[in-house]
Amino acid sequence: MWGMRTLWNLVPVMVAMASPCMAEEERLIPMDQFFVNVETNDWLKRPENRNGLSVSVTMARSAGEKVGTTKLEVHCYEFESAEREFSVEDQQVFLVATKAAVRKEAFSKQILSPTLFAKKETLFEAKEMNGAWVVMVTRGGKAGTFEPEEGERMEKALLEARAGEKWFKELLYARKRPEPTSVAYPPRSNYFMFLSGIGEVAGRGLDYEVKVSSFPSGEERYHVEHWLSFRQGADGSGTSSGAWVEGVLRRVAEALVAIGRGSKYSFESPAKEEDGFSVVANLETKEAEVTIVPGTFFEDRAKKTGYFGEAQLEGIRKLLDEAPRRIHWLRENEGLFFEEVGKGE
């Protein structure tokens, strides 16, 4: 669900904030591009087969923005990706249904809920199933079943997320760290997700991007990400990431060394690999010619080609040199983004 391949492209449309003029060097968070997500309901750690709603608060800044944006979200991951978000009305009816289930009273209400593309009918029910009272939510042919206590959990998580959103708004405007209050403070959670673009280098058909990320998995909290972006269809674009992209960079460096010697060079990844690529030394243009095959995630898997010379390779290496400094800043300042539950106890 938290695949690094797609997360940055799926960053939700955020609630816009006014953007007063602020010099970059005066910003508390010294990054032109970042995305932070903090989950306050910790539903991923529920026992197996016990559903939970995702309650999260996000903060983001895109390249070119002076300040940034925030948003509070509730999602039900039992639904299709474009239909998961719970509106305020969805949250209110869900809460009524859970309270009815706690009292062991039947309840049923259907409403029209906004989704990414169109409004969908959503049915909320409190009923007894297999000797236990539950809340069932049905939308788009999919259904999620919840314990009655999920309503109270959602309420508590929303209070935490609202305080977190107020805190995030202060961070976006701040020149120095603000003081937490009872209504605005770093949201408490077991983890936070972070993604920050350091920069990209154009390669005539393919762009090489370097990012720093933090995801709730693995022993190391922070990682350097290598991405390739490309044109997808008439007006769209696509991105791929992973260790194989770092492999592309190694082969580009080898091809450019060969070009410097006037030697031929070619490499093709094993056919069994999902994200296949090849690198050829173009002795005429003095560039490494990179051809990739987008993974099965993409409908259009036509080959994409880009060209990288010594200048592009040097630009990518400069971005990679910046990554450790970005990670060091994050390690020193992660307390701005969340308070880790249980830390130090």
Side-chain angles (χ1 to χ4, degrees):
M1 179 181 57
W2 305 115
M4 285 181 268
R5 177 194 303 278
T6 59
L7 180 61
W8 186 255
N9 293 327
L10 297 179
V11 171
V13 176
M14 317 295 275
V15 178
M17 297 170 58
S19 298
C21 185
M22 183 186 298
E24 290 184 9
E25 61 271 15
E26 295 178 337
R27 299 183 303 196
L28 177 63
I29 305 173
M31 302 174 199
D32 292 329
Q33 185 186 79
F34 66 86
F35 171 75
V36 178
N37 177 282
V38 180
E39 171 66 50
T40 60
N41 201 26
D42 201 22
W43 65 283
L44 288 172
K45 291 191 176 181
R46 301 283 172 80
E48 190 175 1
N49 298 324
R50 291 192 181 181
N51 290 331
L53 294 174
S54 169
V55 181
S56 63
V57 56
T58 57
M59 171 174 59
R61 179 183 295 149
S62 300
E65 278 190 297
K66 290 291 185 182
V67 180
T69 52
T70 66
K71 190 176 183 182
L72 187 156
E73 297 180 298
V74 178
H75 286 106
C76 175
Y77 279 88
E78 296 300 305
F79 302 151
E80 298 293 341
S81 59
E83 302 174 357
R84 291 173 179 164
E85 187 166 359
F86 266 29
S87 67
V88 173
E89 185 180 10
D90 289 322
Q91 297 166 29
Q92 292 169 343
V93 179
F94 180 80
L95 188 59
V96 172
T98 58
K99 289 181 177 179
V102 168
R103 297 192 302 268
K104 299 183 179 181
E105 297 177 0
F107 173 85
S108 179
K109 184 173 182 177
Q110 183 168 283
I111 64 173
L112 273 177
S113 303
T115 68
L116 189 59
F117 299 116
K119 289 189 175 182
K120 291 278 186 177
E121 291 182 346
T122 306
L123 177 63
F124 296 85
E125 299 175 281
K127 57 185 179 181
E128 189 175 10
M129 292 180 60
N130 301 320
W133 279 85
V134 299
V135 172
M136 180 175 287
V137 185
T138 306
R139 178 185 294 174
K142 302 283 186 176
T145 304
F146 303 89
E147 296 173 322
E149 295 78 15
E150 188 63 17
E152 184 179 354
R153 295 190 194 108
M154 182 190 72
E155 279 192 301
K156 290 181 179 178
L158 282 170
L159 286 173
E160 191 74 19
R162 291 188 185 107
E165 185 177 26
K166 290 178 181 178
W167 173 257
F168 282 172
K169 288 180 178 180
E170 290 188 21
L171 294 185
L172 289 173
Y173 284 95
R175 290 172 171 81
K176 62 179 182 179
R177 180 182 177 124
E179 288 297 323
T181 67
S182 61
V183 295
Y185 53 82
R188 293 181 284 260
S189 181
N190 284 291
Y191 59 86
F192 81 120
M193 291 190 298
F194 184 92
L195 189 63
S196 176
I198 295 176
E200 63 182 54
V201 173
R204 288 204 297 119
L206 295 173
D207 292 342
Y208 200 103
E209 300 178 70
V210 177
K211 304 182 182 185
V212 166
S213 67
S214 172
F215 286 84
S217 61
E219 295 182 2
E220 290 293 328
R221 173 163 285 176
Y222 297 105
H223 308 270
V224 178
E225 300 294 331
H226 298 249
W227 296 57
L228 277 174
S229 59
F230 46 85
R231 298 289 296 175
Q232 185 77 357
D235 302 310
S237 63
T239 59
S240 288
S241 66
W244 74 274
V245 179
E246 191 174 358
V248 170
L249 185 63
R250 289 196 299 270
R251 302 300 178 178
V252 166
E254 292 174 1
L256 292 175
V257 169
I259 289 172
R261 296 172 179 168
S263 305
K264 294 181 180 180
Y265 176 93
S266 65
F267 171 85
E268 188 167 352
S269 63
K272 65 180 180 180
E273 293 186 6
E274 177 186 340
D275 298 285
F277 72 93
S278 64
V279 178
V280 176
N282 189 319
L283 295 175
E284 291 186 7
T285 64
K286 308 296 184 185
E287 295 172 309
E289 181 178 308
V290 178
T291 300
I292 68 170
V293 179
T296 55
F297 175 83
F298 299 98
E299 291 184 9
D300 176 10
R301 298 197 66 204
K303 293 181 178 180
K304 315 295 181 185
T305 301
Y307 301 85
F308 296 87
E310 288 289 353
Q312 284 78 21
L313 180 60
E314 179 63 21
I316 295 169
R317 285 173 171 166
K318 286 181 179 179
L319 296 179
L320 291 171
D321 287 343
E322 172 61 25
R325 290 188 286 271
R326 184 74 53 92
I327 289 176
H328 176 76
W329 187 93
L330 287 167
R331 290 189 191 280
E332 294 293 314
N333 294 277
E334 65 179 24
L336 288 173
F337 306 117
F338 84 126
E339 179 184 336
E340 190 168 359
V341 174
K343 188 173 183 179
E345 294 180 359

